[in-house]
Amino acid sequence: MLKNERIDKPCIWIVENWTDAKRKLNSESIYTDLEKHLGIINMVLSLEINDKALVLTVNTPDNRYVGLLFDNPQLKLR
């Protein structure tokens, strides 16, 4: 994976085979079921990988900021 680099072109990023996945809106303090506010991701704003977890902050077309938490994911970038 690229480290501290901006990708400013179309790409496919695959997050698969996780053991657990949760989400939270920016205004919420705890992660809950992923399906509750699942939608289209307009832009990935930040990414953090630590202790076998992937944490993404994303923006949606309706201007929601959502945190996504994936435990033990496999990552691929094409």
Side-chain angles (χ1 to χ4, degrees):
M1 265 211 73
L2 302 173
K3 187 172 184 173
N4 295 324
E5 291 187 34
R6 179 185 168 127
I7 300 172
D8 199 11
K9 63 181 180 179
C11 60
I12 298 172
W13 189 25
I14 301 168
V15 180
E16 62 184 0
N17 299 325
W18 59 80
T19 57
D20 193 19
K22 296 181 179 184
R23 67 99 207 114
K24 70 174 184 163
L25 292 176
N26 189 39
S27 60
E28 299 173 336
S29 60
I30 60 170
Y31 286 91
T32 59
D33 294 333
L34 179 65
E35 295 84 11
K36 187 173 180 182
H37 290 289
L38 194 58
I40 296 171
I41 295 172
N42 192 40
M43 186 183 323
V44 175
L45 301 171
S46 69
L47 152 103
E48 186 177 328
I49 300 174
N50 50 9
D51 297 330
K52 297 185 180 183
L54 167 67
V55 179
L56 297 173
T57 301
V58 301
N59 179 258
T60 62
D62 59 351
N63 207 32
R64 289 181 295 144
Y65 292 87
V66 180
L68 302 172
L69 172 65
F70 297 93
D71 289 330
N72 302 303
Q74 291 179 353
L75 305 174
K76 297 177 186 175
L77 182 64
R78 291 192 249 160

